[in-house]
Amino acid sequence: MRSRAEIKQTFTYSPYPAVPSELEGYAGSQVGGTGTYRLIVDSQGAVTQVTILKGLTVAAVYDERFSNVKGNTVPALDKVMVQALMRWRAKPGQMRVVDIYWSFGTRPWVNYGKSSAAE
């Protein structure tokens, strides 16, 4: 999957993560970053496991309040990502593994991913 449309073809429920409390005071800031997560989806469509393949890393900083964050993983962002991804629901079918590449920036929480059937 490489687009929101493709994700919507597989997932019937895919809530965005909450903004972690550490970042709530920076609503006007522009921070960008990426992370990669692996979801195990059972035959009923429930996400049974989320593995962090690459922790959410701040890749771009447009606000001096985040100047020391660039290039670092942000555990608070990974925590809310895992919480949100565990709530996702897919259409029933065979058990599958779905890798989600998640990026955020000036339009936060834009996601892309790819899927592969479990062997």
Side-chain angles (χ1 to χ4, degrees):
M1 286 183 266
R2 298 310 272 160
S3 70
R4 277 192 218 178
E6 288 177 304
I7 287 174
K8 287 182 183 255
Q9 288 177 356
T10 300
F11 290 94
T12 59
Y13 181 69
S14 55
Y16 284 2
V19 176
S21 58
E22 293 89 332
L23 300 180
E24 284 178 1
Y26 301 103
S29 300
Q30 294 183 15
V31 179
T34 61
T36 307
Y37 304 86
R38 175 161 290 158
L39 284 60
I40 305 297
V41 180
D42 70 14
S43 61
Q44 299 302 310
V47 174
T48 60
Q49 181 180 343
V50 175
T51 303
I52 301 169
L53 298 178
K54 180 180 177 286
L56 211 51
T57 303
V58 175
V61 179
Y62 308 102
D63 187 313
E64 67 280 350
R65 292 174 286 186
F66 289 101
S67 61
N68 63 343
V69 177
K70 185 175 179 180
N72 295 332
T73 59
V74 182
L77 293 174
D78 281 327
K79 180 180 176 182
V80 298
M81 282 300 306
V82 169
Q83 289 171 344
L85 293 169
M86 285 298 296
R87 294 174 38 218
W88 283 29
R89 294 294 174 261
K91 294 176 183 174
Q94 65 181 356
M95 186 184 128
R96 54 202 170 257
V97 175
V98 181
D99 289 345
I100 299 291
Y101 171 80
W102 198 274
S103 66
F104 68 100
T106 56
R107 292 186 314 171
W109 310 118
V110 176
N111 56 330
Y112 304 93
K114 61 182 178 178
S115 174
S116 61
E119 295 181 8

